[in-house]
Amino acid sequence: MLTILFDGVAYGMLLFVLACGLAVTLGLMNFVNLAHGAFAMAGGYCTVILVNRMGVPFFAALPIAFVVSALIGLILERTLYVHVYRKPHLDQVLFTIGLVFMSVAAVDYVMGSSQVFVQLPSWLQGQDVIFGVGVGRYRLLIIVICGLLTLGLQLILTKTRFGSRLRAAVDDARVARGLGINVNWVFAVTFAFGSGLAGLGGALGAEILGLDPSFPLKFMIYFLIVVTVGGTSSITGPFVAALLLGIGDVAGKYYLPAFGAFVIYTIMIVVLIWRPQGLFARPAGR
């Protein structure tokens, strides 16, 4: 049971890093970006190319994957996304789902359709037994990295001037501009940072989840569930939701293999019936 709990926490942490960029763009910027998984796929394939083909050390490839995904996000935000910020959500959905299919086709053409994994260092492979609990080394690394990222992200959004400017720009962009805040710059940096986090999540999850051109479509529903169940008030909601869903998914597939895939949807339905706005609902703006 403790081993399943450990694996569930690791999976939940990974889901959070993959989805927290969407939590920022959807929750704070009020923009429905269904192409979020494409940035995660970009970071994953960047890591695969660097590590498997070019021999770059795994830990050196992680920040490169973050930067590459962030740059792609920044370029697309300045050239494409900026034109649909004020469009209805349906237009945003159609626009971003189109980007998803374009990314799937492009990756399938360039990288092929076979599933690939990242070659981990030998010391990260296998597991150790600690107090009778099987602890996977790589999953323990994921928990540590994702935990530090969560703390850092929460501090940035709540304790820094940039976080205050972002919240002000989201609540009332016109007043924020009147106060001298460069709203376009704030949104661009936020979108790039969220894309970079998605890329980092894709790099970390390439070994556990596997990479193939359909990655953005397969995990799109997971990203949306994490944000929907957690709510949009802060990063805390999606973090708690990711842990809850990760543990539920792993435990369900272990104890109820015939119905394991439905456990995560059952959790979502129960939570949304109990709290339709999510676990941590964002208060209405003035």
Side-chain angles (χ1 to χ4, degrees):
M1 184 181 297
L2 291 177
T3 302
I4 293 172
L5 179 63
F6 173 81
D7 289 343
V9 170
Y11 184 48
M13 287 280 198
L14 182 59
L15 280 180
F16 173 73
V17 174
L18 282 166
C20 65
L22 181 61
V24 171
T25 54
L26 178 58
L28 297 180
M29 296 172 61
N30 195 30
F31 182 82
V32 183
N33 181 26
L34 296 186
H36 183 74
F39 298 103
M41 181 174 63
Y45 272 107
C46 178
T47 306
V48 168
I49 293 173
L50 291 172
V51 176
N52 295 6
R53 300 185 182 182
M54 302 177 64
V56 176
F58 177 71
F59 284 101
L62 293 180
I64 297 176
F66 175 88
V67 172
V68 169
S69 301
L71 287 177
I72 294 174
L74 181 62
I75 293 172
L76 292 180
E77 194 276 340
R78 287 290 85 193
T79 56
L80 298 177
Y81 281 88
V82 68
H83 301 293
V84 291
Y85 276 149
R86 296 186 178 182
K87 298 290 185 180
H89 283 168
L90 179 59
D91 292 353
Q92 297 173 358
V93 168
L94 294 175
F95 168 73
T96 54
I97 200 68
L99 290 181
V100 169
F101 285 107
M102 290 175 64
S103 67
V104 169
V107 171
D108 182 69
Y109 179 79
V110 175
M111 301 297 297
S113 58
S114 300
Q115 192 174 51
V116 295
F117 299 86
V118 174
Q119 297 176 359
L120 296 177
S122 58
W123 61 274
L124 279 178
Q125 301 174 11
Q127 66 177 14
D128 299 314
V129 179
I130 302 176
F131 300 112
V133 180
V135 176
R137 298 171 185 172
Y138 186 60
R139 283 172 170 78
L140 180 61
L141 176 69
I142 287 178
I143 291 176
V144 173
I145 293 178
C146 296
L148 294 175
L149 283 175
T150 303
L151 291 175
L153 187 60
Q154 184 70 7
L155 289 175
I156 290 174
L157 293 177
T158 60
K159 302 296 183 181
T160 64
R161 177 173 294 183
F162 178 81
S164 301
R165 291 178 175 178
L166 173 60
R167 294 194 301 272
V170 170
D171 288 339
D172 196 322
R174 183 177 61 85
V175 174
R177 289 189 177 94
L179 294 173
I181 298 175
N182 190 334
V183 174
N184 293 334
W185 178 82
V186 170
F187 279 179
V189 172
T190 302
F191 191 91
F193 188 72
S195 302
L197 287 176
L200 180 60
L204 290 171
E207 172 58 25
I208 296 177
L209 305 176
L211 277 176
D212 60 74
S214 63
F215 183 90
L217 293 173
K218 287 194 299 184
F219 292 97
M220 179 192 301
I221 186 64
Y222 286 85
F223 305 153
L224 293 174
I225 288 175
V226 168
V227 177
T228 303
V229 172
T232 58
S233 63
S234 67
I235 295 301
T236 305
F239 177 73
V240 174
L243 288 181
L244 180 64
L245 296 172
I247 295 172
D249 192 44
V250 172
K253 291 177 180 177
Y254 182 83
Y255 290 112
L256 300 171
F259 302 97
F262 294 96
V263 172
I264 190 170
Y265 303 108
T266 303
I267 295 174
M268 177 190 68
I269 293 172
V270 171
V271 170
L272 293 182
I273 291 176
W274 171 47
R275 294 184 64 86
Q277 302 301 320
L279 293 173
F280 295 84
R282 178 183 175 89
R286 292 178 297 177

